[in-house]
């Protein structure tokens, strides 16, 4: 099957959708599919441009076309539009990632015009928490979706959600397209052999102190406004506890806000700010942590949660992380409300109980290996592609 993935950019600052797509594309290629990625050359949100043109990421079998971006606010790209216009018919199906940007909007629109089957992965954008918010102008967001995204969603051959909760939360829109749930995954080979404990702690002067890890994009939805006061409560109970916040901020203003919260809580000496990490350094951060925490207000899946569990590190997550049912059922962590007191109590419970941490860590690693690996997920997604193509063909026959 020849598959074209379309996404607004491939910058690590864009968070989970980028890391998920890179891994998905590589594993689809390994399974025998012919994969291309179409995107823009824009960084998000820094406005940094990489050279336009064809390239590859870590897997040389997956070509990426980076198209010049003209209007960075919506990732407008005339070059991307021209490529789709001339080449869209060479693909069996389009897989569109995200909403509210030109690449996704135009890909859906031209696929409808040229009668090419396509799927849309909203990546959490239809959660009511995010749906009712805008970083710029909510009226323009509503106008954009009425003109572009809602027609594309309604006419799609399928809408891909990564958890049942994500699908349920989008039901208020009454979308007409069929939907399905296929989770995200990890490459188990990368987690098969874990690093020894110690280097992350040593590099950041943490020593043997209890360590809580937050890792991911620094964004208002991630609940850092809950985590930082919660960690102040943890420090009252455990004065030597440390918090590592690992990741890039969504924008400079939010970074300043987070730094202000840390100072206001008197935690400057207890919180370690670490930039973006990847590869073995990423695994090292997970392995060295006693507990991973993600108190998000909304999270369509939670890749960092799965990665942490694969490293045997138990988690404290909010009940707005859409795989929280799976975590609870497996006994792999503690699920709380979006409340700083509840988060603090869960962290204290785990930090005080090494046997419980080890038990939950083993449960989590077993859960990931059985349910969240790419070998299983690529097969599930391939069957959904085939069903979407069949539905599209049936609709075309009905119109003739």
């Amino acid at each position: 099957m020849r598959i074209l993935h379309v996404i607004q950019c491939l910058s690590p600052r864009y968070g989970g959708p980028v890391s998920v797509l890179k891994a998905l594309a590589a594993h689809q290629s390994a399974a025998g599919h012919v994969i291309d990625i179409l995107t823009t050359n824009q960084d998000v949100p820094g406005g940094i441009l990489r050279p336009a043109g064809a390239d590859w990421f870590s897997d040389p079998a997956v070509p990426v076309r980076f198209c010049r971006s003209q209007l960075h606010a919506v990732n407008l790209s005339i070059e991307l539009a021209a490529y789709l216009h001339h080449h869209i018919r060479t693909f069996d199906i389009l897989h569109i990632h995200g909403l509210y940007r030109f690449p996704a909007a135009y890909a859906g629109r031209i696929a409808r015009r040229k009668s090419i089957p396509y799927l849309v992965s909203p990546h959490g954008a239809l959660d009511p928490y995010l749906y009712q918010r805008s970083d710029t102008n909510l009226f323009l967001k509503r106008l954009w979706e009425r003109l572009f995204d809602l027609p594309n969603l309604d006419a799609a051959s399928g809408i891909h959600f990564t958890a049942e909760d994500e699908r349920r939360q989008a039901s208020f829109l009454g979308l007409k397209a069929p939907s399905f749930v296929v989770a995200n995954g990890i490459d188990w080979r990368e987690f098969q052999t874990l690093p020894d404990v110690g280097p992350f702690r040593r590099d950041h002067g943490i020593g043997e102190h209890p360590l809580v890890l937050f890792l991911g994009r620094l964004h208002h939805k991630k609940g850092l406004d809950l985590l930082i006061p919660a960690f102040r409560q943890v420090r009252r109970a455990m004065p030597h506890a440390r918090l590592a916040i690992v990741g890039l901020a969504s924008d400079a203003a939010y970074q300043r806000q987070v730094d202000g919260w840390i100072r206001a809580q008197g935690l400057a000496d207890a919180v370690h700010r670490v930039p973006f990490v990847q590869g073995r350094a990423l695994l090292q951060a997970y392995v060295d942590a006693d507990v991973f925490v993600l108190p998000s207000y909304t999270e369509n899946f939670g890749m960092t949660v799965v990665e942490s569990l694969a490293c045997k590190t138990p988690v404290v997550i909010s009940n707005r992380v859409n795989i929280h049912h799976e975590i609870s059922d497996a006994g792999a962590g503690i699920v709380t409300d979006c409340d700083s007191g509840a988060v603090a109590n869960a962290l204290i419970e785990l930090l005080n109980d090494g046997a419980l941490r080890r038990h939950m860590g083993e449960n989590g690693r077993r859960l990931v290996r059985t349910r969240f690996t790419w070998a299983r997920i690529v097969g599930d997604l391939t069957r959904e592609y085939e069903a979407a193509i069949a539905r599209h063909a049936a609709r075309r026959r009905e119109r003739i």
Side-chain angles (χ1 to χ4, degrees):
M1 190 181 302
R2 187 159 191 204
I3 303 161
L4 177 64
H5 291 282
V6 181
I7 192 168
Q8 66 161 316
C9 73
L10 283 178
S11 167
R13 293 178 183 270
Y14 191 38
V18 170
S19 60
V20 165
L21 174 55
K22 287 182 175 182
L24 171 61
H27 284 84
Q28 286 178 324
S29 175
H33 299 294
V34 179
I35 307 298
D36 288 78
I37 297 176
L38 183 65
T39 187
T40 71
N41 66 337
Q42 185 181 357
D43 191 5
V44 173
I48 300 168
L49 300 181
R50 56 151 289 133
D55 202 348
W56 293 264
F57 56 86
S58 57
D59 189 327
V62 180
V64 182
R65 181 167 295 275
F66 294 92
C67 300
R68 292 179 181 83
S69 176
Q70 283 80 40
L71 183 59
H72 302 327
V74 294
N75 292 102
L76 174 66
S77 172
I78 296 171
E79 186 178 330
L80 181 142
Y83 180 87
L84 284 168
H85 179 77
H86 291 293
H87 298 281
I88 192 171
R89 292 190 187 278
T90 65
F91 296 95
D92 297 308
I93 192 167
L94 269 65
H95 191 154
I96 299 169
H97 298 265
L99 300 170
Y100 303 112
R101 293 296 185 272
F102 177 83
Y106 188 80
R109 183 180 180 86
I110 195 167
R112 286 190 286 133
R113 286 179 55 195
K114 292 182 178 287
S115 194
I116 303 297
Y118 66 95
L119 301 179
V120 179
S121 294
H123 292 290
L126 300 181
D127 183 298
Y129 177 85
L130 292 179
Y131 186 82
Q132 298 297 336
R133 288 166 171 78
S134 172
D135 292 335
T136 53
N137 185 300
L138 188 58
F139 170 77
L140 292 178
K141 182 177 181 179
R142 293 286 88 88
L143 180 63
W144 179 279
E145 70 195 22
R146 180 175 291 274
L147 292 174
F148 306 114
D149 287 340
L150 289 179
N152 284 345
L153 287 165
D154 280 336
S157 303
I159 302 175
H160 169 214
F161 297 108
T162 56
E164 284 291 350
D165 273 12
E166 184 190 9
R167 175 157 63 175
R168 176 183 56 79
Q169 290 160 4
S171 63
F172 74 98
L173 287 169
L175 298 173
K176 299 174 184 177
S179 64
F180 61 91
V181 174
V182 173
N184 291 328
I186 63 167
D187 185 343
W188 186 255
R189 295 170 299 181
E190 297 177 5
F191 294 81
Q192 184 73 50
T193 303
L194 298 176
D196 294 332
V197 175
F200 181 86
R201 288 172 169 270
R202 183 176 60 249
D203 291 347
H204 299 286
I206 296 167
E208 299 299 318
H209 297 310
L211 176 60
V212 176
L213 173 67
F214 170 94
L215 190 151
R217 183 167 58 112
L218 274 60
H219 186 274
H220 63 82
K221 78 170 189 174
K222 300 291 185 177
L224 287 165
D225 59 325
L226 301 175
L227 173 57
I228 292 170
F231 190 68
R232 176 58 182 163
Q233 295 180 54
V234 171
R235 287 275 291 183
R236 292 192 185 106
M238 307 181 73
H240 297 295
R242 302 292 182 88
L243 170 64
I245 298 178
V246 180
L248 300 170
S250 56
D251 59 65
Y254 188 70
Q255 175 64 72
R256 290 191 294 271
Q257 191 172 30
V258 170
D259 292 340
W261 292 335
I262 293 170
R263 290 192 299 271
Q265 294 291 336
L267 295 172
D269 294 335
V271 177
H272 300 262
R273 287 284 294 108
V274 181
F276 175 77
V277 295
Q278 57 186 337
R280 296 299 285 181
L282 177 70
L283 269 63
Q284 192 67 65
Y286 288 126
V287 166
D288 279 10
D290 293 300
V291 183
F292 176 83
V293 62
L294 185 64
S296 293
Y297 292 107
T298 176
E299 200 75 46
N300 71 295
F301 184 74
M303 279 302 302
T304 53
V305 175
V306 173
E307 291 170 347
S308 178
L309 295 178
C311 293
K312 299 186 182 181
T313 302
V315 300
V316 171
I317 61 174
S318 77
N319 56 11
R320 300 309 304 275
V321 178
N322 284 340
I323 57 170
H324 70 91
H325 295 296
E326 290 86 343
I327 305 305
S328 294
D329 292 346
I334 299 176
V335 178
T336 75
D337 292 333
C338 286
D339 174 80
S340 61
V343 173
N345 290 337
L347 290 173
I348 292 168
E349 179 182 353
L350 281 177
L351 290 174
N352 276 322
D353 194 335
L356 180 60
R357 293 200 307 273
R358 288 189 292 275
H359 177 68
M360 286 186 167
E362 292 292 344
N363 290 344
R365 187 166 169 88
R366 186 164 49 250
L367 170 68
V368 173
R369 188 169 188 178
T370 55
R371 295 195 56 179
F372 299 125
T373 59
W374 283 119
R376 171 177 176 169
I377 289 162
V378 166
D380 292 342
L381 198 53
T382 298
R383 286 185 285 275
E384 295 295 345
Y385 285 163
E386 292 167 347
I389 291 169
R391 283 193 298 269
H392 179 79
R395 285 194 301 194
R396 288 192 68 182
R397 287 194 298 269
E398 289 172 1
R399 289 196 296 266
I400 295 175

